[in-house]
């Protein structure tokens, strides 16, 4: 571990690097430039990187700390960082991001004025400046079915028909949401501790709705706040069948944890329908790589393929099916 531990920090910023050194310099530079009047405790979790992550941070950002972690996934690494912090707020921030507007002082003040808010998301742009929809609604059978039948292409789409809020005009205003993208999760420390840290059974994906649902049950709200804007270089890896299969696997984990049997079965059937449509689509709209990815997702969903990142730990947070 390097860098000073700041006992009086307002905001602890946790950035996990799994060979993400190439993104860290712009990310960390903009983080420090947008501190405002907030005292920051910046932690880079080195997730068994071999690309000089530690050396870059130590040489160019001495105000940051490096925490080593075994590569056991996104949730595990973020938890290892969060456990070393004592700030009032904890931000889980992706390494491939840049802060472009607003300050952490302003964001902390916004949550200070909203004592019922446990987590906030902010405006996110893609690398080409396009607004990215990060306001999300909890997974449900109807939303999964809507997405199976292309609801994001419908001319008029109700909130029940998909998890993403696609009315981009909303993103300039403060609005309640169920959950927000894991690339930027600004958490009140009290809410994070009362709900519990990220569930380490989720190697990557689905840990965000799981955490926000647990916060909601603990009495905390989640909000989208346009107080800050960031760039997130999402989708940089293109279509990756392994990650599509991983998403399906974690959705099954989420359903196992939170949904009662009839709802769980219907939800997983709707997820299966979505990938069945893509796996059997004729040539024109869906390319062969996307069809192959859908077939891999289906095999993973029904247990004919092993989870992309191995079986989850058996000692993580117990199941709490209450819906």
């Amino acid at each position: 571990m390097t860098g000073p531990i700041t006992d009086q920090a307002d905001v602890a910023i946790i950035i996990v690097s799994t060979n993400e050194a190439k993104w860290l310099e712009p990310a960390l530079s903009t983080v420090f430039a947008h501190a405002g009047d907030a005292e920051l405790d910046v932690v880079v979790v080195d997730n068994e990187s071999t690309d000089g992550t530690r050396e870059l941070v130590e040489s160019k950002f001495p105000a940051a700390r490096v925490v080593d972690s075994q590569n056991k996934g996104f949730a595990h690494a973020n938890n290892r960082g969060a456990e070393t912090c004592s700030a009032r707020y904890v931000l889980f921030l992706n390494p491939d991001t840049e802060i472009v507007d607003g300050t952490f002082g302003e964001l902390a003040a916004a949550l200070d004025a909203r004592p019922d808010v446990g987590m906030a998301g902010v405006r996110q742009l893609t690398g080409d400046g396009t607004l990215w929809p990060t306001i999300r609604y909890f997974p449900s059978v109807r939303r999964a079915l809507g997405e199976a039948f292309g609801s994001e292409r419908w001319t008029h789409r109700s909130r029940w028909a998909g998890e993403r809020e696609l009315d981009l005009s909303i993103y300039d205003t403060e609005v309640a949401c169920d959950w927000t993208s894991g690339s930027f999760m600004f958490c009140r420390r009290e809410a994070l501790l009362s709900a519990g840290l990220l569930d380490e059974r989720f190697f990557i994906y689905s840990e965000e709705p799981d955490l926000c649902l647990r916060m909601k049950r603990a009495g905390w709200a989640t909000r989208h706040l346009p107080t800050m804007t960031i760039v997130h270089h999402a989708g940089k890896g293109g279509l990756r069948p392994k990650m599509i299969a991983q998403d399906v696997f974690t959705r099954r984990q989420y359903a196992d944890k939170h949904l009662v049997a009839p709802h769980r079965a219907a939800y997983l059937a709707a997820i299966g329908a979505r990938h069945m449509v893509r796996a059997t689509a004729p040539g024109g709209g869906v390319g062969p790589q996307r069809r192959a990815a859908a077939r891999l997702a289906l095999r993973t969903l029904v247990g004919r393929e092993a989870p992309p990142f191995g079986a989850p730990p058996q000692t993580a947070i117990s199941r709490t099916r209450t819906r």
Side-chain angles (χ1 to χ4, degrees), residues 132-150:
W132 185 251
T134 55
I135 296 172
R136 309 291 169 88
Y137 305 107
F138 287 132
S140 71
V141 175
R142 289 188 299 175
R143 289 180 180 130
L145 278 173
E147 291 173 354
F149 294 101

Side-chain angles (χ1 to χ4, degrees), residues 150-170:
S151 63
E152 293 202 352
R153 297 191 298 272
W154 297 355
T155 303
H156 302 288
R157 192 192 78 159
S158 299
R159 185 173 295 178
W160 64 263
E163 290 184 25
R164 302 200 303 172
E165 176 55 69
L166 299 181
D167 182 354
L168 299 186
S169 66
I170 290 177

Side-chain angles (χ1 to χ4, degrees), residues 1-6 28 32 40-44 54-66:
M1 184 182 299
T2 63
I5 298 177
T6 306
L28 291 170
F32 285 112
L40 302 183
D41 178 18
V42 179
V43 179
V44 175
R54 171 178 283 277
E55 292 77 12
L56 183 145
V57 176
E58 290 178 343
S59 63
K60 295 193 174 183
F61 300 96
R65 299 188 285 123
V66 179

Side-chain angles (χ1 to χ4, degrees), residues 14-221:
I14 315 297
I15 301 176
V16 175
S17 175
T18 310
N19 293 318
E20 302 279 6
K22 66 179 181 180
W23 298 105
L24 285 177
E25 189 161 355
L28 291 170
S29 295
T30 59
V31 160
F32 285 112
H34 288 264
D37 61 2
E39 183 75 26
L40 302 183
D41 178 18
V42 179
V43 179
V44 175
V45 181
D46 186 352
N47 208 24
E48 294 189 320
S49 298
T50 58
D51 65 346
T53 283
R54 171 178 283 277
E55 292 77 12
L56 183 145
V57 176
E58 290 178 343
S59 63
K60 295 193 174 183
F61 300 96
R65 299 188 285 123
V66 179
V67 172
D68 291 321
S69 175
Q70 291 182 290
N71 186 2
K72 296 182 179 180
F74 179 83
H76 177 272
N78 274 294
N79 285 349
R80 300 293 79 75
E83 288 169 350
T84 72
C85 301
S86 59
R88 297 186 297 122
Y89 295 104
V90 176
L91 170 63
F92 299 110
L93 181 67
N94 272 23
D96 56 344
T97 57
E98 300 173 57
I99 315 300
V100 296
D101 188 50
T103 70
F104 290 108
E106 293 167 340
L107 191 55
L111 261 71
D112 286 344
R114 296 161 176 78
D116 63 321
V117 176
M119 183 189 296
V122 299
R123 294 178 77 252
Q124 295 195 26
L125 309 176
T126 62
D128 63 4
T130 302
L131 185 65
W132 185 251
T134 55
I135 296 172
R136 309 291 169 88
Y137 305 107
F138 287 132
S140 71
V141 175
R142 289 188 299 175
R143 289 180 180 130
L145 278 173
E147 291 173 354
F149 294 101
S151 63
E152 293 202 352
R153 297 191 298 272
W154 297 355
T155 303
H156 302 288
R157 192 192 78 159
S158 299
R159 185 173 295 178
W160 64 263
E163 290 184 25
R164 302 200 303 172
E165 176 55 69
L166 299 181
D167 182 354
L168 299 186
S169 66
I170 290 177
Y171 286 82
D172 290 327
T173 62
E174 177 181 343
V175 63
C177 57
D178 287 342
W179 61 281
T180 189
S181 170
S183 51
F184 188 108
M185 295 189 292
F186 193 84
C187 304
R188 187 184 303 273
R189 178 180 176 81
E190 182 183 359
L192 188 60
L193 293 179
S194 63
L197 294 175
L198 293 163
D199 185 343
E200 296 177 17
R201 289 188 306 168
F202 299 103
F203 189 94
I204 187 170
Y205 298 148
S206 294
E207 63 281 300
E208 316 106 301
D210 170 74
L211 176 58
C212 288
L213 181 57
R214 288 188 281 117
M215 281 192 177
K216 180 179 180 180
R217 290 171 176 164
W220 301 98

Side-chain angles (χ1 to χ4, degrees), residues 23 26 64 143 247 285 311 317 323:
W23 298 105
R143 289 180 180 130
D247 177 71
I317 302 171
R323 293 174 63 196

